[in-house]
């Protein structure tokens, strides 16, 4: 079955990393369904039943997003709240995510060394993304970790909101290929 990639980026057109990842995934429509939440739900009103059906018709599930305030964009949080409902994702009869391979793909505008216990922010991405892992595990999904592209921010607040630091073409290409390989290895 195809992998469903839920892309949540409020301005994908100006993105560098997430836009490039989507372009790469779109080269393989037989393997991946790219579902852009901001494009489908510009008003933020999520059709939970439609989203649940979309998940059910796919195999693996990947959530792709830029790190926002050390978390996910608000629309993805709303999507999780609405779609991962009692009786569907969890509860005595909620088994639709059970054993489904799930993973994250994140772009982080901050340097990798700043996401460490000794770094500027004192927490790793593993730690910051643990609520996603815990949620997947709570729903009995088979959480497979995350793929990350780190940025180059050298001073706090250097990156403009919603934008990513420009990377070299070779870094972007390697990241896009590594991302596809990550998803294929789930």
């Amino acid at each position: 079955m195809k992998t469903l990639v839920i892309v949540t980026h409020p301005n994908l057109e100006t993105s560098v990393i997430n836009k490039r990842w989507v372009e790469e995934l779109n080269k393989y429509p037989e393997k991946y369904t790219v579902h852009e939440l901001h494009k489908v739900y510009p008003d933020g009103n999520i059709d939970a039943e439609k989203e649940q059906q979309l998940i059910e018709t796919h195999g693996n599930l990947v959530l792709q997003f830029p790190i926002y305030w050390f978390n996910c964009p608000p629309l993805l949080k709303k999507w999780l709240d609405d779609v991962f409902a009692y009786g569907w994702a969890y509860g005595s009869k909620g088994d639709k995510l059970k054993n489904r391979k799930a993973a994250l793909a994140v772009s982080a505008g901050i340097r990798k060394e700043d996401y460490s216990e000794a770094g500027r922010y004192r927490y790793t991405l593993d730690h910051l993304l643990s609520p996603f892992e815990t949620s997947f595990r709570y729903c009995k999904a088979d959480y497979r970790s995350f793929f990350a592209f780190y940025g180059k921010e050298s001073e706090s607040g250097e990156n403009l909101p919603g934008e990513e630091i420009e990377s070299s073409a070779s870094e972007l290409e390697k990241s896009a290929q590594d991302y596809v390989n990550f998803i294929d290895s789930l």
Side-chain angles (χ1 to χ4, degrees):
M1 291 182 88
K2 290 170 65 170
T3 295
L4 176 61
V5 182
I6 303 294
V7 177
T8 313
H9 194 297
N11 199 356
L12 193 61
E13 298 77 32
T14 63
S15 167
V16 176
I17 307 305
N18 282 272
K19 181 180 176 183
R20 179 64 192 96
W21 287 352
V22 166
E23 290 168 352
E24 191 65 26
L25 295 175
N26 282 334
K27 291 179 182 178
Y28 309 98
E30 72 285 356
K31 291 169 55 173
Y32 316 113
T33 297
V34 176
H35 186 59
E36 298 177 40
L37 291 185
H38 281 89
K39 188 181 285 185
V40 177
Y41 301 110
D43 60 1
N45 293 320
I46 295 168
D47 183 340
E49 187 175 314
K50 178 181 170 187
E51 295 298 302
Q52 290 168 346
Q53 290 171 358
L54 185 62
I55 292 169
E56 289 176 31
T57 61
H58 286 79
N60 303 335
L61 175 63
V62 176
L63 305 180
Q64 176 186 320
F65 57 93
I67 298 293
Y68 261 53
W69 285 111
F70 307 96
N71 204 318
C72 67
L75 185 59
L76 180 56
K77 176 61 170 105
K78 181 172 180 5
W79 183 89
L80 289 166
D81 290 344
D82 292 355
V83 176
F84 287 17
Y86 177 82
W88 184 83
Y90 68 98
S92 61
K93 296 179 182 173
D95 64 355
K96 301 302 185 202
L97 295 175
K98 187 175 183 179
N99 299 323
R100 185 179 305 274
K101 293 177 183 171
L104 306 174
V106 299
S107 59
I110 297 168
R111 297 175 303 162
K112 186 173 185 174
E113 54 268 22
D114 288 332
Y115 282 114
S116 68
E117 289 180 19
R120 185 173 5 164
Y121 302 110
R122 310 232 169 151
Y123 292 100
T124 64
L125 272 185
D126 282 307
H127 181 87
L128 294 171
L129 296 173
S130 65
F132 295 93
E133 175 181 0
T134 304
S135 296
F136 280 124
R137 293 191 188 286
Y138 187 76
C139 296
K140 298 183 174 84
D142 182 5
Y143 180 70
R144 296 298 184 110
S145 194
F146 64 89
F147 178 81
F149 185 93
Y150 294 90
K152 298 176 179 166
E153 180 186 71
S154 58
E155 294 294 325
S156 295
E158 180 180 2
N159 295 339
L160 293 173
E163 294 184 4
E164 297 149 334
I165 295 293
E166 293 269 346
S167 296
S168 72
S170 62
E171 286 177 308
L172 284 173
E173 291 311 307
K174 180 173 181 350
S175 174
Q177 290 303 311
D178 289 347
Y179 181 34
V180 167
N181 293 337
F182 170 79
I183 293 176
D184 288 346
S185 72
L186 295 177

